[in-house]
Amino acid sequence: RLQSTLVAKIPALEINGREAERLPNTLNLALHGVEGEAILYELSRQGICASSGSACTSGSLDPSHVLQAMEVPFTAIHGSLRISLSRYTEEAEVERIIEVLPPIVASLRRLSPFWDDKRNCLKV
């Protein structure tokens, strides 16, 4: 539900590893036109913990070699966000992510020189 709702609410959002077998509790999003660190900062201000990139590059600002190997576009690697849930995650916490993340992405994209806000896509 988290994945399908975010895909519906955030334009130009892709799921990294969509066709691959992946852990059911981990969602890795490619958000074109924004920096993952900026998203993390804003989520943290809202009391939500997440990570950028892949688990293999946690704590590093270098592009994830895992996402590069998956051929995730450069514009999305730097805007990748990893959300991990656990058996202790409550429905209200999932709702909070759904409530908070789309406006954060929209706000950051308005500031991005790479984003065309009128067309809701990357400038090409």
Side-chain angles (χ1 to χ4, degrees):
R1 188 171 81 70
L2 177 62
Q3 176 178 312
S4 61
T5 305
L6 291 177
V7 167
K9 288 187 170 212
I10 301 174
L13 177 146
E14 295 178 49
I15 306 301
N16 293 326
R18 177 180 294 243
E19 302 301 321
E21 288 187 41
R22 46 191 179 107
L23 296 173
N25 69 315
T26 305
L27 184 58
N28 194 306
L29 309 172
L31 298 154
H32 294 270
V34 292
E35 288 289 326
E37 294 303 313
I39 298 168
L40 292 179
Y41 176 79
E42 292 300 325
L43 285 174
S44 179
R45 287 184 50 199
Q46 298 294 324
I48 298 171
C49 295
S51 301
S52 65
S54 69
C56 299
T57 55
S58 230
S60 170
L61 294 178
D62 293 333
S64 164
H65 65 279
V66 173
L67 296 178
Q68 287 175 327
M70 292 169 58
E71 299 182 353
V72 173
F74 176 81
T75 58
I77 287 177
H78 286 281
S80 287
L81 177 70
R82 191 177 73 254
I83 301 170
S84 298
L85 308 175
S86 78
R87 71 174 88 176
Y88 305 108
T89 303
E90 297 180 4
E91 188 67 27
E93 293 169 309
V94 171
E95 285 299 320
R96 181 79 174 131
I97 296 168
I98 290 169
E99 172 191 334
V100 167
L101 185 57
I104 287 173
V105 173
S107 174
L108 292 172
R109 281 178 172 167
R110 279 191 295 277
L111 300 172
S112 172
F114 305 111
W115 189 256
D116 184 339
D117 213 29
K118 292 180 182 136
R119 292 184 16 222
N120 232 0
C121 65
L122 285 172
K123 292 180 181 176
V124 239

